Structure formats: C-alpha cells, structure tokens
Amino acid sequence: MSRMKKITIFTGIGLLSVVVIAIVAVNAFVIQRPVTTTPVIAEAKPYEWNKVKLGGNTLSSDGSEYFIWTKTGESNNWIIFFSGGGVSWDARSAAHPIKIMNFIKGGDTGNYFADIPFYMLTLLGGMMDTDKPDNPFHGWNVVYLPYSTGDFHIGNRAATYSREDGRTFTMRYNGRTNVRSSLDWIYANVAKPDKLLIAGESAGGFGSAFWAPEIASHYRDSEIFQYADSSFLKSDKWPQVMKQEWDSDFTATFGYEPEADIIRAAFRADGRLLPAGTVLLQAYSVYDEILIHFQNKINDYNGPRDQKLIKEWSEEMRQSVAALAATVPNYYYYLTDYGLNAENGTTPHTFSTRETFYQAEQDGVKLVKWLGDAVNQQKRYSVGSEFLGTTAPAQE
C-alpha cells in the first residue's frame, strides 16, 4: 500500500471518529428546544420553555440572532436570570470563542459563547427546573437571558480585531442593547411580581448585580432578592476593559466606578441603590476551578495552576465576601468546598443550573435550603463562616 494511500485512509478514519464522537456527544442527551415562539405570557403553557425573538438591534457577538427564553409557572413570583458563559477582554481572547469542537478535541475550550448554543436549554437544570417539587422556586415564572456577547451583559461596541493570522473579524459587544431590549419585553409582559429574584451565574452573576437596581426600580412594590452564583474575577484591567473594549459607559449607566474587584463594587453599590429591604445573596465554591482559570488568563499568567495559585484566588474571594458581610446590610453568603478534588485541589464551578444546586452541602446545610430559607421563609443567614475565620450572622 502506498504511503499516500495510507495517509488518506488514516485521515478518513480520524475524521470519521470525530464525527462519531460529535454525534455521541450531542445525542447523549435529548436536545431540549423551546415549544414555541410567543411574545404573550398568557398564551404560554406552564413549565414549557418559550422562545421570544426581540428583533431590533439585538445580536450575539458573531452577528447571529439574539433572543430570550421564558417559562411560566403557577404563582406570581418571577426569576429574571442572567446566563453565564465566559468573557472576552481583548482581541486575542475574542478570537477564541467556545465551540463544541473544542470540547471534542480537548485542550482549551475557548473564552466565551459567540452565539446562543442550540443545546443550551438541555443544560438548564437546578433552580430552572421549576416543575420540580423540591425546588424552592417550584411554580415560579422565569425569564432567562442567554449570554453570547462576552461582556458581562453590559457592552456597547462593535470592535474590529485581527486574528493571529492577520484576518480581521467583528466582535459585537452588544450586551447592553440585548439586556435593555429584554427588559423592555419584561416590563411590557410582567406586571408586579409578589417576589422577584434577580439572579445570575458566573458572568451572569456580574450582569445580574449590575442591572438589579434598574430592574428593581421598575418593581419597587415587589419583594426583591439579588443572587450572584460564582462571580469573582479580580483584575486591574476591568476599568479599562469596560471603558475601551466594551464601551459600557459604566459609571453613567450604573452609578458607580468599576474596580478591580468588580463584583464587590457592584454589591456594595447595590446595598445603597436597591430598595430598602432587598436581600443580597452570594454563593461560592471556595476553590473554583473555572474562575481561577479565567482570572489567570485575564491577568496574563501562563504558569502552572499550583496550590499556591489556588490559595491566592480563594483568599482574595473570601476577603471580598468578608468585606461585604461587614459593611452591606441584608447581605448573606454561602461558601462551600463541596466536590473538592483531592488530586488537584479545586472545586466545581456554579450551582444554579446544575444538579449540585440540590446536592451541595456545607456545615449540614444544603445550598438549596439556604436559598429557599432566604427567599421563602424569611430565614436569612450565612453558611461557611469557617472559610472567613469569622462567626456568621445569626439566623433571623
């Protein structure tokens, strides 16, 4: 057999293997799709996702369509949930979006979702399973804001970047327009909720904290809660990124200056900008593998992720939480090392839309109970105080 023929056969086998792996990966779960495209809440069937096309100037970062998902329940309580999905902070990071082929090939999966993944709904469990009886948000209504702009839901710029090979591409940091259009739809379709949870995970936790005061100002007569799950990335670059890369007009839009610890700045501001009585909540996995990975990348660290590095990130996060707990009224935290990997010293990332929402436990208190107590039972307390070396606030 000639050398060229062997190369051709092996190449064909390799490509076929990739295709088979991709098919298996996609069909390992049943792809969940929205039932219908409907802009009218009254027409939606309970507990079924519905796709809402917003039109106008809404776009994902690659120019594809942006939309939101809604799910009705059987109460007058609402969740407005900001999705996570990475971040882009410069030309180099923008040139490497998250793609399903990256998962198949292994290695670095990418930095952000450039569009809304077709399989995203399938991944939404946890507190999004509002038909689940043991979910504290059973029967609630949900508006889910996907995230496909790499800008913490706040950007307002179409940037022209060059790839490593010299080719140019357009990165649409369109988060602000997408959120404002989403909120216009929400305000037109959601009357006064009894309870309103403004929440998000990872990058969406930042977005939820940034936009919470504006949303709350529209629903001042509702009982309001703000919850950020796994949202800590500290970098001196944030003020510059938010101004130059994203053109977010941050201070004028949100009423305070961006800082290196941007989530602390947001929660500190929310403590004074949100209506009196608003309950502020944060949850963290104390050695979060994904947040450590991204903070290293943003701060241009290319060395090994050793125990020293993991400890440094964890200490910075815990200092941020301790400062908020000491100064912000109605602020409560949940810290846990649930799922600690003894081999590499890290813990998993996010809880809200995963089964760990029901499984994570610290000091005999499950995360799901902590959040349910805070929102539904008027029992507000912090969990995991041993990670701060302090005594948690007493339960109310």
Side-chain angles (χ1 to χ4, degrees):
M1 185 182 295
S2 69
R3 183 171 180 272
M4 183 57 67
K5 189 172 182 180
K6 287 182 179 179
I7 292 173
T8 301
I9 291 172
F10 286 129
T11 300
I13 292 172
L15 290 173
L16 180 60
S17 298
V18 169
V19 172
V20 170
I21 293 171
I23 291 171
V24 170
V26 171
N27 288 284
F29 45 80
V30 177
I31 300 298
Q32 190 178 164
R33 301 185 186 279
V35 174
T36 183
T37 300
T38 173
V40 182
I41 291 291
E43 296 177 2
K45 294 181 180 180
Y47 307 118
E48 292 184 344
W49 285 111
N50 295 272
K51 180 179 178 180
V52 178
K53 295 184 178 182
L54 300 169
N57 294 320
T58 59
L59 286 171
S60 295
S61 64
D62 65 356
S64 60
E65 181 185 40
Y66 182 83
F67 47 82
I68 60 177
W69 287 306
T70 68
K71 185 197 291 188
T72 60
E74 299 171 291
S75 73
N76 192 38
N77 300 326
W78 284 83
I79 300 171
I80 298 175
F81 195 93
F82 289 74
S83 172
V87 63
S88 167
W89 58 95
D90 57 16
R92 185 175 180 180
S93 57
H96 295 281
I98 298 170
K99 297 180 180 179
I100 195 168
M101 284 302 297
N102 295 349
F103 291 91
I104 296 170
K105 292 177 181 178
D108 196 330
T109 57
N111 299 314
Y112 67 98
F113 286 114
D115 56 13
I116 301 174
F118 69 93
Y119 52 83
M120 180 60 73
L121 276 182
T122 303
L123 304 179
L124 298 185
M127 64 190 294
M128 295 293 101
D129 285 335
T130 51
D131 57 342
K132 193 170 181 175
D134 56 346
N135 184 350
F137 306 103
H138 174 68
W140 284 47
N141 307 280
V142 181
V143 180
Y144 185 92
L145 280 64
Y147 174 57
S148 53
T149 50
D151 58 6
F152 290 171
H153 296 272
I154 64 173
N156 189 41
R157 178 187 176 218
T160 300
Y161 289 137
S162 294
R163 304 184 190 276
E164 289 89 339
D165 61 7
R167 292 179 298 150
T168 60
F169 68 100
T170 300
M171 174 69 187
R172 297 166 182 83
Y173 295 116
N174 206 49
R176 188 205 302 179
T177 295
N178 292 348
V179 171
R180 289 205 182 280
S181 295
S182 300
L183 295 182
D184 287 344
W185 185 91
I186 292 169
Y187 299 157
N189 288 274
V190 178
K192 173 194 165 187
D194 294 332
K195 294 177 185 284
L196 174 61
L197 176 65
I198 305 164
E201 63 181 356
S202 196
F206 295 99
S208 69
F210 297 152
W211 289 103
E214 177 169 326
I215 298 169
S217 70
H218 192 85
Y219 295 111
R220 285 193 171 273
D221 294 330
S222 301
E223 189 177 359
I224 296 171
F225 305 83
Q226 202 281 309
Y227 173 51
D229 169 9
S230 306
S231 305
F232 180 85
L233 290 171
K234 188 175 181 180
S235 176
D236 291 333
K237 291 183 179 181
W238 287 136
Q240 178 186 0
V241 169
M242 292 178 176
K243 180 179 180 179
Q244 296 183 6
E245 297 297 326
W246 299 350
D247 193 19
S248 67
D249 201 11
F250 190 93
T251 304
T253 302
F254 301 111
Y256 54 97
E257 295 286 340
E259 301 175 6
D261 183 353
I262 188 61
I263 196 65
R264 177 182 169 186
F267 266 76
R268 190 173 61 231
D270 285 353
R272 61 181 174 81
L273 294 174
L274 285 163
T278 298
V279 178
L280 301 173
L281 303 158
Q282 279 188 315
Y284 285 108
S285 175
V286 294
Y287 307 110
D288 189 310
E289 59 179 342
I290 299 300
L291 293 181
I292 293 169
H293 169 75
F294 270 95
Q295 184 164 302
N296 290 342
K297 291 182 75 171
I298 292 164
N299 292 324
D300 303 315
Y301 175 79
N302 298 312
R305 187 180 66 186
D306 55 20
Q307 293 304 307
K308 179 175 180 292
L309 201 70
I310 294 169
K311 183 179 178 182
E312 286 175 353
W313 177 89
S314 185
E315 287 181 347
E316 287 180 334
M317 179 273 291
R318 286 180 280 169
Q319 288 169 4
S320 178
V321 170
L324 291 172
T327 58
V328 177
N330 295 322
Y331 169 84
Y332 305 94
Y333 59 82
Y334 188 100
L335 302 178
T336 181
D337 61 0
Y338 177 84
L340 177 65
N341 185 321
E343 185 175 338
N344 63 27
T346 63
T347 48
H349 179 56
T350 72
F351 309 98
S352 295
T353 61
R354 303 170 60 193
E355 279 306 301
T356 47
F357 178 70
Y358 301 97
Q359 298 164 352
E361 184 173 339
Q362 190 68 38
D363 303 335
V365 181
K366 288 197 170 185
L367 172 69
V368 64
K369 175 175 171 52
W370 168 77
L371 192 57
D373 281 351
V375 175
N376 296 325
Q377 306 300 326
Q378 294 189 330
K379 293 174 61 178
R380 284 120 197 192
Y381 51 92
S382 293
V383 174
S385 60
E386 66 267 29
F387 294 112
L388 303 184
T390 60
T391 302
Q395 295 188 21
E396 294 183 352

